Amino acid sequence: QPVEATDDAFWDQFWADTATSVQDVFALVPAAEIRAVREESPSNLATLCYKAVEKLVQGAESGCHTEKERQIVLNCCRLLTRILPYIFEDPDWRGFFWSTVPGAGRGGGDEDDENARPLAESLLLAVTDLLFCPDFTVQSHRRSTVDTAEDMHSIDSCEYIWEAGVGFAHSPQPNYIHDLNRTELLKLLLTCFSEAMYLPPSSDSSNTNPWVQFFCSTENRHALPLFTSLLNVVCAYDPVGYGIPYNHLLFSDYREPLVEEAAQVLIVTLDYDSSTSSSPTVDGTTTGTAMDDVDPPGPDNLFVNYLSRIHREEDFQFILKGVARLLSNPLVQTYLPNSAKKIQFHQELLVLFWKLCDFNKKFLFFVLKSSDVLDILVPILYFLNDARADQSRVGLMHIGVFILLLLSGERNFGVRLNKPYSVRVPMDIPVFTGTHADLLIIVFHKIITSGHQRLQPLFDCLLTIVVNVSPYLKSLSMVAANKLLHLLEAFSTTWFLFSAVQNHHLVFFLLEVFNNIIQYQFDGNSNLVYAVIRKRNVFHQLANLPTDSQSIQKGLQRKKKTPEPISRTNSQDGVSMEGSRPAAPAEPGTLKTSLVATPGIDKLTEKSQVSEDGTMRSLEPEASQLSPEGNPPAALGDGEPWSGEASHSRRDRRRLSSASSSGQWTPTPDWVMSWKSKLPLQTIMRLLQVLVPQVEKICIDKGLTDESEILKFLQHGTLVGLLPVPHPILIRKYQANSGTAMWFRTYMWGVIYLRNVDPPIWYDTDVKLFEIQRV
């Protein structure tokens, strides 16, 4: 039966109950009933939503001074969190919150409905007011009776920022009730923003989320204190607390759920495609001409705007220390297992770190200026290594690699990698003594040789990162040098080169790495030079690669006998580090969300040349030297591209094992010739020509079999004047594009969907942005 909006006795029963929690609301209001009301008595559902928003608005107006009012506000909040996803999943209802409700509950007269706000705006403004409500979500500054309670309209919420940090020095007394109330309100905000989950992925960047757009606009008078509160709460959080072991088992930590919620709301509000905007870059130059009178305005999204304008060193330090502390938390090995609390929101932190670097170039340069960047690098390498066998964590693998690609575009990153690695985080990689560069190469080798099939689209990215840092690596360890040669050996077998249209790119990348190190860092790299001499046959085979049809067919036949795409024999994997656990595949039954395709490496990056003085100039994209056959490599994300069946053939072509079985493409002599003639082998051939006879002579003369003597000889050798003129250093820098913006959106919402299980806000609703699959 339709119920009149004026029947308060009926509606009040939904929020008047005192003892409920959000879990109770989810249990008491089953999905089937919400859908039934939506279909059979839509007017009742509309009235319920309208009434619940009205209660929130009243609570925000009055300032929630009584316990009863607070209870009503929280219950309405929980009810809306429960109902909203079912409104979003139905296209007919989607506009409901953006309409005004004529006359309802306003005395029924035909008042001036022109200036009435849409329901969504009233809801968002009420929630933001409630987030700065003294004695409800923030500490009251007045110590007096209720009569002189602060008026919500005159309150300056900048005085009530939740935590010290960026732009705010005062750290309020922690109050767990306030933390709980904030968490519930933020959960409702996140649910409002989640309308994005119910729209299929589209690369159309104008597809902005109206909820986020309004929330981050100048209409929200609390935008600045709210942005600052969210950022500071996340970056100031210390899960280890006061260092008492097992403290998280003794008393509950009310801060952690708040920090998780804050991190999720923050990354959603920062979902902004920077490739389409002509906002000022952070060094003040604009993409417009110098003749424009004023800088074009920054993005309308105030959160993105504020983030891009942070500039004080101490603020950068606070953010970087906080993010590094939290990312390193899961790695903290203590003598007492499980004694420190392990956070679970590292994926949200990685998205936040990405946004910081992408929107605020000064922050990026600050990160690279000190060796603190290594405190971000080590956890990322740990996550990459740990997730490499787990199909449900492909998204985590991608974002880790994207961040390293972004960092590797800056010279300072390569220079920082020379710092010795002594931390010894337990990882299942061979024990080595060396630098952070060695760690990076060893982990990348492990991902390529023992990760699962779905990671193949990342190989280009992984090797691009190594190419970008290679000119700066002063001395690789023997373990890392052997890993690089093992990759070259695996990627230059004939069956691999001939079995997919872009596999030879990987060989080009590796040769570029060897050339950079030999040309620019020969002196300290005797280990690498020795490894190249030992494996010289690999280079000779590449130079003499057969190009006739018969040999191509024979090379492809060989594939059938090779079960593993990349054999792990002779890659001299030593004993793994002490205390490490091997990377495990996902538990059966694990849920995962699909991702859209990521752009190919040629779309993800633009080439820059480093000139003598260390500055970079961007190169005009020439006829792509990367794909001589003229067609860009098919870029595929996770193997679940959204165009459905059509992409299967492209996906298979990416697969080393099933390549050419799709019958789409076959290698021809002309094709092999077209790239074989461009293989950059001159430098290495010259090196071998000069050094091999000398090394052989020493071995014969001294009857040597000991590599340390040969290494000693190579350390003192020099090739000055013998090598070709050094080529200019080429860096492939990440460039923003709408493809990655879309990828980040699906990844971020997938993470948020899977992480919100208590209560399961979106579970079993009809989401369209991604598919949910069981591993």
Side-chain angles (χ1 to χ4, degrees):
Q1 264 14 76
V3 182
E4 282 302 313
T6 47
D7 184 354
D8 287 342
F10 175 81
W11 296 112
D12 285 351
Q13 63 183 350
F14 286 99
W15 31 80
D17 195 8
T18 47
T20 53
S21 67
V22 67
Q23 285 77 8
D24 296 339
V25 172
F26 271 69
L28 292 169
V29 185
E33 283 186 24
I34 303 174
R35 288 192 176 114
V37 174
R38 187 182 72 192
E39 304 311 323
E40 289 153 31
S41 49
S43 67
N44 283 352
L45 184 59
T47 309
L48 182 63
C49 292
Y50 175 72
K51 288 290 209 183
V53 172
E54 190 181 44
K55 287 291 173 198
L56 290 180
V57 172
Q58 287 168 4
E61 293 275 314
S62 73
C64 287
H65 295 305
T66 65
E67 197 46 55
K68 183 165 188 272
E69 282 178 287
R70 289 173 199 162
Q71 199 57 57
I72 288 176
V73 161
L74 290 172
N75 284 339
C76 290
C77 192
R78 292 159 187 160
L79 195 64
L80 286 166
T81 302
R82 180 64 173 140
I83 294 172
L84 275 165
Y86 297 91
I87 287 191
F88 294 151
E89 74 175 4
D90 183 337
D92 296 339
W93 275 83
R94 219 165 276 146
F96 167 71
F97 270 86
W98 294 96
S99 58
T100 51
V101 182
R106 300 199 184 149
D110 306 319
E111 291 159 57
D112 186 10
D113 283 327
E114 298 308 301
N115 54 19
R117 279 193 177 281
L119 206 49
E121 296 187 3
S122 307
L123 171 56
L124 290 172
L125 293 175
V127 172
T128 49
D129 277 343
L130 287 165
L131 285 167
F132 292 99
C133 188
D135 289 329
F136 179 53
T137 47
V138 291
Q139 211 69 44
S140 171
H141 289 184
R142 298 204 182 158
R143 284 280 144 259
S144 63
T145 59
V146 179
D147 309 334
T148 56
E150 288 145 288
D151 173 32
M152 283 306 290
H153 291 288
S154 60
I155 205 166
D156 175 10
S157 46
C158 285
E159 295 174 11
Y160 290 94
I161 288 171
W162 302 348
E163 186 59 70
V166 175
F168 193 67
H170 168 66
S171 194
Q173 193 61 38
N175 178 322
Y176 81 94
I177 301 280
H178 294 173
D179 279 1
L180 290 174
N181 294 342
R182 291 164 180 174
T183 306
E184 298 229 33
L185 287 160
L186 290 179
K187 225 185 249 325
L188 174 56
L189 269 183
L190 198 59
T191 311
C192 291
F193 298 158
S194 70
E195 187 180 33
M197 281 194 210
Y198 298 90
L199 301 170
S202 85
S203 49
D204 177 16
S205 53
S206 62
N207 193 356
T208 47
N209 182 331
W211 295 83
V212 172
Q213 198 176 5
F214 178 80
F215 180 78
C216 298
S217 72
T218 47
E219 295 268 352
N220 177 358
R221 68 189 178 105
H222 303 296
L224 180 60
L226 202 54
F227 169 77
T228 313
S229 295
L230 295 172
L231 183 63
N232 291 354
V233 156
V234 172
C235 295
Y237 179 56
D238 184 0
V240 180
Y242 301 105
I244 317 160
Y246 299 106
N247 64 353
H248 62 292
L249 302 178
L250 303 178
F251 42 85
S252 194
D253 175 359
Y254 293 97
R255 211 9 85 111
E256 190 185 19
L258 173 66
V259 174
E260 285 194 10
E261 218 63 52
Q264 291 176 0
V265 169
L266 199 52
I267 60 179
V268 170
T269 53
L270 296 170
D271 176 20
Y272 179 80
D273 183 356
S274 57
S275 65
T276 52
S277 68
S278 62
S279 55
T281 52
V282 180
D283 53 2
T285 57
T286 64
T287 39
T289 61
M291 297 309 289
D292 296 342
D293 325 335
V294 286
D295 279 351
D300 324 326
N301 178 325
L302 288 178
F303 278 42
V304 174
N305 212 332
Y306 296 144
L307 186 76
S308 66
R309 295 213 313 251
I310 299 172
H311 61 277
R312 297 188 332 182
E313 294 262 315
E314 56 268 40
D315 290 343
F316 287 157
Q317 188 62 36
F318 164 74
I319 294 172
L320 181 58
K321 279 272 183 276
V323 173
R325 178 195 320 116
L326 291 170
L327 283 178
S328 312
N329 161 273
L331 289 55
V332 176
Q333 280 300 97
T334 51
Y335 292 111
L336 306 165
N338 304 326
S339 65
K341 183 179 189 103
K342 276 201 176 173
I343 62 152
Q344 302 295 325
F345 55 99
H346 48 273
Q347 301 195 81
E348 293 94 318
L349 286 165
L350 290 173
V351 176
L352 178 60
F353 182 76
W354 169 270
K355 301 278 181 199
L356 279 156
C357 292
D358 194 21
F359 295 147
N360 190 327
K361 290 295 170 264
K362 285 186 177 148
F363 176 75
L364 177 62
F365 297 136
F366 175 85
V367 169
L368 291 166
K369 199 171 65 178
S370 70
S371 34
D372 290 347
V373 64
L374 302 174
D375 298 337
I376 300 283
L377 169 75
V378 172
I380 289 179
L381 290 175
Y382 172 86
F383 294 131
L384 289 178
N385 186 56
D386 188 52
R388 68 178 192 271
D390 180 347
Q391 289 213 8
S392 68
R393 291 194 282 169
V394 177
L396 170 63
M397 299 292 295
H398 275 74
I399 187 170
V401 173
F402 284 158
I403 290 175
L404 298 182
L405 179 67
L406 179 71
L407 295 173
S408 74
E410 307 298 333
R411 173 181 176 274
N412 266 349
F413 182 64
V415 174
R416 296 285 160 247
L417 290 179
N418 290 310
K419 188 176 177 182
Y421 174 68
S422 51
V423 211
R424 294 287 169 264
V425 171
M427 290 158 83
D428 65 326
I429 52 172
V431 180
F432 70 97
T433 305
T435 63
H436 284 76
D438 295 307
L439 177 69
L440 178 120
I441 288 169
I442 292 166
V443 169
F444 283 10
H445 172 270
K446 196 91 178 173
I447 293 168
I448 291 172
T449 56
S450 66
H452 58 76
Q453 283 277 303
R454 290 264 168 85
L455 298 179
Q456 272 156 22
L458 281 176
F459 290 3
D460 283 348
C461 263
L462 290 167
L463 293 186
T464 299
I465 294 165
V466 181
V467 173
N468 282 348
V469 300
S470 58
Y472 311 109
L473 305 183
K474 293 198 176 345
S475 71
L476 286 185
S477 69
M478 192 57 98
V479 178
N482 284 330
K483 296 294 181 211
L484 283 176
L485 277 141
H486 175 241
L487 288 179
L488 182 70
E489 201 173 3
F491 289 149
S492 59
T493 58
T494 48
W495 78 259
F496 181 75
L497 285 172
F498 297 158
S499 65
V501 68
Q502 64 282 37
N503 282 352
H504 60 276
H505 297 168
L506 300 172
V507 170
F508 276 78
F509 284 137
L510 283 162
L511 290 175
E512 205 176 324
V513 170
F514 295 128
N515 288 339
N516 281 341
I517 293 179
I518 292 165
Q519 293 275 21
Y520 292 99
Q521 300 289 351
F522 180 82
D523 289 354
N525 272 300
S526 50
N527 287 331
L528 184 81
V529 173
Y530 177 64
V532 167
I533 291 173
R534 271 189 49 216
K535 291 278 185 190
R536 55 190 178 276
N537 63 320
V538 179
F539 299 98
H540 290 304
Q541 278 166 4
L542 264 176
N544 301 315
L545 191 71
T547 55
D548 57 290
S549 303
Q550 201 182 349
S551 307
I552 293 175
Q553 282 316 309
K554 210 161 134 193
L556 286 170
Q557 289 309 309
R558 204 169 297 168
K559 179 190 98 193
K560 297 200 170 79
K561 299 184 201 125
T562 320
E564 269 290 292
I566 297 173
S567 74
R568 265 163 256 163
T569 50
N570 78 11
S571 71
Q572 55 330 86
D573 261 9
V575 189
S576 282
M577 291 186 168
E578 197 182 332
S580 66
R581 293 195 317 278
E587 300 273 309
T590 306
L591 289 180
K592 70 180 189 114
T593 53
S594 62
L595 293 163
V596 296
T598 51
I601 194 71
D602 48 342
K603 303 268 187 308
L604 264 180
T605 53
E606 59 178 1
K607 289 197 185 132
S608 305
Q609 200 169 315
V610 182
S611 46
E612 304 285 307
D613 57 357
T615 54
M616 291 199 192
R617 60 188 186 81
S618 142
L619 293 181
E620 286 306 307
E622 66 234 76
S624 169
Q625 166 196 348
L626 258 185
S627 51
E629 62 285 358
N631 54 353
L636 281 172
D638 265 20
E640 284 103 31
W642 13 294
S643 50
E645 295 306 305
S647 339
H648 280 308
S649 58
R650 284 190 312 175
R651 181 196 320 178
D652 291 339
R653 254 192 350 232
R654 270 321 281 235
R655 295 268 163 99
L656 314 192
S657 45
S658 63
S660 84
S661 61
S662 55
Q664 292 285 321
W665 168 87
T666 46
T668 61
D670 286 351
W671 171 79
V672 178
M673 276 308 296
S674 71
W675 55 261
K676 181 189 165 181
S677 58
K678 298 194 177 118
L679 283 169
L681 287 164
Q682 306 78 343
T683 301
I684 293 172
M685 289 310 190
R686 187 83 187 101
L687 171 132
L688 292 173
Q689 203 185 341
V690 174
L691 292 180
V692 170
Q694 299 183 3
V695 170
E696 283 176 343
K697 186 173 185 305
I698 296 179
C699 294
I700 294 165
D701 290 356
K702 301 195 173 173
L704 275 187
T705 49
D706 178 23
E707 58 180 53
S708 61
E709 289 289 325
I710 301 169
L711 284 168
K712 209 172 286 175
F713 161 73
L714 290 173
Q715 267 160 7
H716 299 300
T718 171
L719 291 174
V720 174
L722 296 171
L723 293 180
V725 176
H727 55 284
I729 297 176
L730 270 189
I731 300 289
R732 292 175 182 83
K733 286 173 78 92
Y734 167 81
Q735 57 172 1
N737 59 64
S738 47
T740 40
M742 190 62 237
W743 185 89
F744 270 96
R745 182 170 307 152
T746 48
Y747 169 61
M748 169 183 81
W749 279 115
V751 168
I752 291 172
Y753 177 95
L754 293 173
R755 297 259 299 109
N756 282 276
V757 285
D758 184 28
I761 300 180
W762 299 281
Y763 186 69
D764 264 353
T765 59
D766 187 16
V767 293
K768 295 275 194 296
L769 184 63
F770 42 77
E771 289 169 26
I772 294 107
Q773 295 138 340
R774 283 193 183 278
V775 176

